[in-house]
Amino acid sequence: MAVALSIFPILVQHILHATFIQQNSATIQSNLLAIAILLFIFGLSNFVGHYLMRKAGNHLCMQLNTDLFNTLLNLPVQHYQYLDKQQTTHSALSSIKQISQSAMRIITTLVRDSLIIISLIFCLFWIERDFALLVLLLIPFATIILQVIQGQHSANLRSDTPTLNKLANHLQRSMKNFRQIRLYGGQHQEYQRLKKEALSLQDNESQQVNYKTFIALLCQLVMLFIAVAIVYLMTQQSLRGHFTLDQIGAFVMASLLLITPVRRLAGISRTLHNEQNHLERIFSLLDLNADSDHNHKTIAEVAGKLTFEHVCFFDHKPEKAVLNRINLEITPKKTVAIVCKDKQICSRLIDLLLGFYQPETGKMLLENVPFTEIKQADLLAQFALVSHDSVILNEKVAGNIAYGVTRCAHEASITAAAQAALASEFIREMPNGLQTRVDENGASMTNEQWQKIEIARALLKNAPILIMDNVWFQSSAHTSFNKALTKLIQNRTTILVMQAMPATRKNIDHVYLLEQGMINEK
């Protein structure tokens, strides 16, 4: 593109020379054909450049997206409590897309327009050295003036915001205090105060806008004066015979071609300033520290023994005592129910059992090894979870059974897990069996069917410790769900976390009541 643009003024000079001096039609035709070829090359280069820019932008966007996914999926769990998940994810993905496009556009502008300016400067030197030096000296000056003009225009666009915010806050405060204002008959007084403040703010704003407009107008007049001076000097040189008509045409053409790349380069700083908020939003998330398993122990065989030693844990938002100096030992292959009416405390208790949170004081141990000394991946490998709420993790039935560490399981093992969970009957009735797609809300299946899918998932993982979140045997003793649950809890340590006392205490060895952080056996 740079080479094509630098040759274009020279061809214009040859056409003007052949037209007004040589009057050679063959030269005119050959140069016009060369201009057509140059325009085709320029257009093709422009298309290829935009294609490569989009491709590079998409690659950068994917890299940032994968870094964001990796960071957000491996954050310490307490971060999820304070993040506005919907707003965070939407704004982060939008910012990444915006930044990726802007970054490639800025890099392309810097490289392309710098090369174009350099090539056109060489072209100007070839046409007329003295005027080329003048233009070369004026380019930095013109860039600064353009930045000032663009900055003043942006400031004018933003000047209304603080004024309206201040006035709106005062008006909201007046509306909030309507009882006192009306009680004492202060409506007219408040109206006068608001009107006076609006006029004052409007006057200040007008002064600022007038000043910025004056600066922008002054810069434009300076640019116009420079252009007139250059035209005047060119005219004088032409009258003296030092500057021919064809040179003037080529010089004017090259100078006009310089305007667009100089303007684009001048706008880069404004683009960077506009993208600052997007950059801050992205890197505030990417800089969050993910969980690390360095220097932690691996744990081999686990029978399912869990121990609480003087465990204290408080949920700080809101301030609640979850566990207060709890001593509890859960022996392997036993079933223990912990009943707590508070749903949030039940959720925090499950997070503690899974090692997502650490107690303020005391220790939690697995097979007499503190949680803090075990790699999190190894700790989580010892647990399976069945929840009362439908948890859809994949778009297919098979993907919901074989998920995560078991995603590469053979279809035979997935089918065996589904049969053991007594889920194969309704799966066979689905259009595509295990490969049937399910919607995001799980509306195509009942809640009991989803719980059987979770039982199949837990059976496939085959972890030694099972956590039941508000799920237990149903009142009817002969339901298929009860049979599936019986198979699941066999030879496992089962911890039942409930908000109400289980309907049946069948297969439960101990029941504990958790109230105000204290735990008592019932």
Side-chain angles (χ1 to χ4, degrees):
M1 291 173 67
V3 172
L5 284 179
S6 64
I7 296 174
F8 190 72
I10 297 173
L11 293 177
V12 170
Q13 181 183 4
H14 289 168
I15 291 173
L16 292 174
H17 186 78
T19 302
F20 296 103
I21 299 174
Q22 292 181 339
Q23 297 182 348
N24 188 336
S25 60
T27 304
I28 295 172
Q29 291 174 1
S30 61
N31 281 282
L32 286 174
L33 179 62
I35 287 176
I37 294 172
L38 281 178
L39 289 175
F40 174 77
I41 294 172
F42 181 84
L44 182 62
S45 302
N46 192 30
F47 173 79
V48 172
H50 278 86
Y51 170 77
L52 294 175
M53 181 179 70
R54 288 194 300 272
K55 189 173 181 180
N58 291 337
H59 181 71
L60 176 61
C61 182
M62 184 56 63
Q63 289 289 103
L64 290 173
N65 277 333
T66 53
D67 288 343
L68 177 70
F69 302 154
N70 184 57
T71 300
L72 292 182
L73 291 174
N74 291 284
L75 284 178
V77 177
Q78 54 268 28
H79 283 287
Y80 296 120
Q81 188 176 356
Y82 305 105
L83 281 177
D84 183 347
K85 298 175 186 62
Q86 182 176 358
Q87 181 64 26
T88 297
T89 53
H90 185 272
S91 61
L93 292 173
S94 299
S95 296
I96 285 175
K97 185 177 180 180
Q98 179 70 25
I99 286 296
S100 301
Q101 295 173 349
S102 297
M104 290 303 106
R105 190 163 57 246
I106 289 170
I107 293 171
T108 303
T109 300
L110 281 171
V111 175
R112 177 194 61 198
D113 292 336
S114 297
L115 291 173
I116 288 174
I117 290 172
I118 291 171
S119 64
L120 289 173
I121 291 295
F122 275 113
C123 179
L124 289 173
F125 270 95
W126 187 85
I127 296 169
E128 219 289 330
R129 187 183 62 182
D130 294 335
F131 277 101
L133 284 172
L134 178 61
V135 172
L136 183 61
L137 292 173
L138 288 175
I139 284 177
F141 184 67
T143 303
I144 294 172
I145 290 178
L146 285 171
Q147 286 180 339
V148 172
I149 293 173
Q150 291 171 352
Q152 297 297 333
H153 179 67
S154 299
N156 286 339
L157 292 176
R158 295 191 301 266
S159 61
D160 288 343
T161 304
T163 303
L164 290 175
N165 286 343
K166 188 173 182 180
L167 189 59
N169 289 335
H170 192 162
L171 185 58
Q172 288 174 6
R173 191 165 60 250
S174 298
M175 294 170 67
K176 182 179 179 181
N177 300 326
F178 74 94
R179 289 187 181 88
Q180 288 82 352
I181 292 173
R182 294 192 182 186
L183 179 62
Y184 294 101
Q187 293 97 318
H188 183 71
Q189 183 180 346
E190 202 67 21
Y191 162 77
Q192 292 294 336
R193 285 179 59 195
L194 286 166
K195 182 179 178 181
K196 183 178 179 181
E197 186 172 348
L199 288 172
S200 175
L201 292 172
Q202 197 173 54
D203 291 340
N204 291 335
E205 181 191 342
S206 298
Q207 291 176 3
Q208 293 177 5
V209 171
N210 291 336
Y211 171 76
K212 293 168 184 175
T213 305
F214 172 75
I215 295 296
L217 179 61
L218 184 62
C219 291
Q220 292 171 354
L221 288 175
V222 171
M223 291 287 291
L224 183 61
F225 174 77
I226 292 171
V228 171
I230 291 175
V231 171
Y232 174 76
L233 290 173
M234 290 174 63
T235 305
Q236 292 298 315
Q237 292 294 323
S238 177
L239 291 174
R240 293 172 185 171
H242 298 157
F243 215 19
T244 61
L245 180 62
D246 56 328
Q247 285 180 313
I248 291 175
F251 195 90
V252 170
M253 177 63 67
S255 300
L256 291 174
L257 290 175
L258 274 171
I259 294 174
T260 301
V262 169
R263 182 185 289 125
R264 284 197 293 252
L265 285 176
I268 286 178
S269 60
R270 183 165 57 92
T271 303
L272 288 171
H273 178 74
N274 292 338
E275 302 300 335
Q276 184 177 352
N277 290 334
H278 293 292
L279 283 169
E280 290 175 353
R281 186 179 298 119
I282 292 169
F283 286 104
S284 66
L285 291 173
L286 294 180
D287 289 342
L288 292 174
N289 294 321
D291 281 334
S292 175
D293 278 340
H294 297 306
N295 302 321
H296 285 184
K297 297 178 182 178
T298 58
I299 188 165
E301 295 184 3
V302 173
K305 180 183 177 183
L306 283 169
T307 309
F308 293 69
E309 289 185 357
H310 307 291
V311 172
C312 292
F313 179 76
F314 296 89
D315 192 353
H316 298 286
K317 189 180 179 182
E319 188 73 33
K320 286 183 180 179
V322 179
L323 298 176
N324 190 6
R325 298 190 64 81
I326 298 301
N327 290 289
L328 179 64
E329 182 175 306
I330 302 174
T331 54
K333 317 300 183 191
K334 297 293 184 180
T335 299
V336 172
I338 301 176
V339 180
C340 178
K341 295 180 181 179
D342 193 314
K343 183 178 181 180
Q344 187 173 349
I345 290 181
C346 289
S347 177
R348 290 291 174 268
L349 178 60
I350 292 173
D351 289 339
L352 274 169
L353 289 167
L354 296 174
F356 292 144
Y357 288 93
Q358 298 301 326
E360 271 81 8
T361 60
K363 290 189 294 185
M364 297 180 64
L365 303 97
L366 175 63
E367 306 296 337
N368 299 320
V369 179
F371 277 22
T372 53
E373 297 179 10
I374 305 173
K375 285 187 176 181
Q376 189 178 52
D378 287 344
L379 179 64
L380 294 175
Q382 314 308 322
F383 289 89
L385 174 67
V386 176
S387 176
H388 178 268
D389 300 321
S390 302
V391 181
I392 298 93
L393 300 173
N394 193 275
E395 67 273 9
K396 293 183 179 180
V397 174
N400 277 283
I401 296 174
Y403 180 79
V405 293
T406 60
R407 67 185 181 278
C408 297
H410 297 294
E411 186 173 353
S413 58
I414 298 172
T415 304
Q419 288 175 347
L422 301 180
S424 55
E425 182 177 346
F426 69 83
I427 291 175
R428 280 195 296 268
E429 296 174 357
M430 292 182 169
N432 297 311
L434 286 168
Q435 301 306 316
T436 302
R437 289 184 172 271
V438 293
D439 57 54
E440 294 180 352
N441 300 318
S444 57
M445 296 167 61
T446 66
N447 194 53
E448 182 177 321
Q449 288 173 336
W450 271 114
Q451 287 176 5
K452 287 183 179 180
I453 295 294
E454 290 207 19
I455 290 173
R457 186 190 301 150
L459 285 167
L460 187 62
K461 186 176 182 182
N462 196 28
I465 304 174
L466 175 66
I467 298 176
M468 307 293 291
D469 181 10
N470 279 304
V471 176
W472 196 235
F473 288 96
Q474 298 176 2
S475 55
S476 176
H478 301 289
T479 63
S480 60
F481 177 79
N482 288 354
K483 294 177 182 178
L485 196 56
T486 301
K487 292 182 181 180
L488 177 63
I489 66 173
Q490 285 177 355
N491 298 318
R492 300 181 203 277
T493 302
T494 304
I495 303 172
L496 173 60
V497 180
M498 297 285 287
Q499 288 180 252
M501 196 64 68
T504 174
R505 299 192 189 179
K506 178 185 177 182
N507 298 317
I508 298 178
D509 298 295
H510 299 279
V511 177
Y512 296 96
L513 298 179
L514 179 59
E515 295 177 327
Q516 297 179 348
M518 306 301 294
I519 195 164
N520 299 296
E521 186 170 4
K522 182 174 177 62

